[in-house]
């Protein structure tokens, strides 16, 4: 009888520990994603001066992004970014690391 009690207690403790570890890993992932999102520049609301700070964008390409948004509306994805004159797939992928498309 005592063996069954200790076995049940051990199992309960393992389940609680596993649940706690899983909850912590999920919380850490959500925190990381939220922090990353809050540090990205909002591409569609950015000024030329803000865009110049993005690696790979100089004055001319930053202005092209702002002009494209003014003429065509919001850029909603990395693929849309390639529609801006002077921005190809490689540069769009690089820029996408630093901006959000909301």
């Amino acid at each position: 009888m005592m063996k069954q009690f200790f076995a049940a207690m051990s199992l309960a403790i393992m389940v609680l520990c596993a649940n706690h570890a899983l909850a912590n890993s999920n919380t850490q992932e959500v925190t990381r994603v939220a922090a990353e999102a809050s540090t990205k520049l909002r591409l569609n609301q950015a000024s030329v001066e803000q865009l110049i700070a993005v690696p790979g964008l100089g004055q001319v390409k930053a202005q092209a992004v702002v002009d494209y948004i003014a003429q065509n509306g919001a850029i909603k994805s990395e693929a849309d970014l390639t529609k801006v004159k002077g921005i190809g797939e490689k540069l769009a992928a690089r820029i996408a690391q630093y901006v959000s498309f909301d």
Side-chain angles (χ1 to χ4, degrees):
M1 187 76 155
M2 203 61 151
K3 284 183 181 180
Q4 290 175 337
F5 174 74
F6 284 119
M9 289 302 291
S10 297
L11 184 59
I13 290 171
M14 287 190 310
V15 168
L16 288 173
C17 289
N19 191 25
H20 180 69
L22 183 59
N24 280 344
S25 66
N26 288 341
T27 301
Q28 290 170 349
E29 180 65 13
V30 168
T31 302
R32 184 192 64 77
V33 170
E36 183 178 299
S38 69
T39 60
K40 290 187 174 190
L41 178 64
R42 296 178 70 189
L43 180 71
N44 294 297
Q45 287 77 34
S47 67
V48 172
E49 292 77 20
Q50 291 171 316
L51 290 170
I52 291 171
V54 175
L57 286 180
Q59 175 74 34
V60 173
K61 289 180 184 163
Q63 186 64 57
V65 169
V66 170
D67 292 344
Y68 179 90
I69 293 167
Q71 294 172 358
N72 301 290
I75 296 173
K76 297 180 180 172
S77 67
E78 186 178 317
D80 282 352
L81 195 52
T82 63
K83 296 175 185 175
V84 177
K85 184 177 181 181
I87 299 179
E89 288 182 16
K90 286 183 182 180
L91 182 55
R94 185 173 178 195
I95 293 167
Q97 297 175 49
Y98 302 100
V99 300
S100 65
F101 299 100
D102 55 350

